[in-house]
Amino acid sequence: MNIELIPAIDIIGGQCVRLTKGDYDQKKVYDDNPAEVAKHFEKLGFKRLHVVDLDGAKSKHIVNDNVLKAITSATSLSVDFGGGIKTEEDIEKAFDAGAAMVTVGSIAVTNPELFLSWIDKYGAGRLILGADVRNGKISINGWKEDSAEDLLPFLKQYTDKGVRNVLCTEISKDGTLQGPAIELYKEIMAAYPDLHLIASGGVSCNEDIDALETAGIPAVVFGKAFYEGKIDIDKLGL
């Protein structure tokens, strides 16, 4: 497959979990040891991992950097890490714990100048712009608040400044296993064909991944579909 395949580990209380539509009350625990889950992904042939500190997203600062460190120490996966990155101290913590890239969402909405200063300092290659969407608007702070920002203009202000990595989650799809928001991703790619767009939310089976690849989407994150045994790993061609 040409599409980049990125399994996800979401962390609450040091455990590997999944939420439905970002709702902390709809939590399902899949494993008590995220580092072991990461080792399993590596053994299967995956090269990259998406790790989200859900406690951090809620607390507005990194909480589970020790879990990130355990994962990066136990594997050679390229890990992108997000959740609660609000300050340079948080970024440094994530990089010190072994993250290859960090995902920044809320700050890019609430403090664009700060986000751009991080792009200048760390380079656009090490930062992923998190663009989480609900009803066409960018959502922030662990998806608990919707901003006034419309998706495409929001992306434009940063693609104009050199941002190329974008993680876009359609929140209404996330954790639902109802299929990804392919039309949304096609719209983004039509507007910004040079983006390395990572589609996130709703993947339920191999066919969903195939559909994203056919639509020309560069990368996909999936979690629940894997944990629920709905993805045939042998067909991914790892």
Side-chain angles (χ1 to χ4, degrees):
M1 302 192 88
N2 292 320
I3 191 169
E4 187 176 19
L5 303 165
I6 311 171
I9 293 178
D10 291 0
I11 302 162
I12 291 179
Q15 297 178 310
C16 175
V17 307
R18 295 303 285 173
L19 306 182
T20 299
K21 299 183 183 179
D23 184 351
Y24 285 75
D25 293 329
Q26 296 187 62
K27 179 183 80 172
K28 185 169 183 179
V29 177
Y30 286 100
D31 202 289
D32 286 336
N33 191 331
E36 286 300 316
V37 176
K39 282 162 73 174
H40 180 58
F41 281 133
E42 186 173 42
K43 206 173 289 180
L44 289 172
F46 292 102
K47 302 285 187 252
R48 184 164 166 186
L49 183 65
H50 176 64
V51 176
V52 182
D53 182 354
L54 289 172
D55 292 315
K58 207 173 188 179
S59 305
K60 301 185 182 181
H61 60 85
I62 286 183
V63 173
N64 287 292
D65 50 310
N66 59 322
V67 180
L68 171 62
K69 181 68 176 169
I71 289 170
T72 58
S73 300
T75 74
S76 56
L77 292 165
S78 176
V79 179
D80 68 74
F81 180 83
I85 292 179
K86 309 290 188 193
T87 63
E88 202 162 302
E89 183 187 2
D90 290 319
I91 292 182
E92 296 287 352
K93 255 190 195 175
F95 286 149
D96 288 347
M101 305 170 83
V102 295
T103 301
V104 179
S106 301
I107 288 297
V109 175
T110 59
N111 194 338
E113 294 80 9
L114 181 59
F115 179 63
L116 288 171
S117 76
W118 293 344
I119 293 284
D120 287 340
K121 179 167 183 176
Y122 298 103
R126 298 198 77 189
L127 292 174
I128 300 169
L129 174 61
D132 301 326
V133 186
R134 182 163 42 209
N135 301 321
K137 302 288 187 185
I138 299 291
S139 187
I140 58 174
N141 294 329
W143 301 350
K144 295 195 293 296
E145 302 168 40
D146 291 337
S147 74
E149 296 273 0
D150 290 313
L151 175 62
L152 291 181
F154 172 73
L155 294 179
K156 179 171 172 48
Q157 66 175 314
Y158 292 119
T159 56
D160 285 352
K161 300 289 187 181
V163 169
R164 286 294 170 264
N165 300 298
V166 172
L167 173 74
C168 182
T169 304
E170 168 50 78
I171 295 168
S172 68
K173 298 272 190 182
D174 194 64
T176 64
L177 301 175
Q178 290 175 357
I182 291 177
E183 292 308 313
L184 174 70
Y185 301 130
K186 283 165 72 172
E187 189 183 349
I188 294 170
M189 290 307 298
Y192 309 109
D194 294 333
L195 278 187
H196 187 73
L197 176 65
I198 306 165
S200 169
V203 170
S204 67
C205 58
N206 291 69
E207 288 73 18
D208 286 338
I209 295 172
D210 292 342
L212 286 164
E213 181 168 45
T214 300
I217 311 308
V220 58
V221 163
F222 51 86
K224 186 177 266 190
F226 175 85
Y227 297 116
E228 300 278 343
K230 295 181 183 298
I231 289 180
D232 184 341
I233 298 298
D234 293 336
K235 289 183 179 173
L236 294 178
L238 294 167

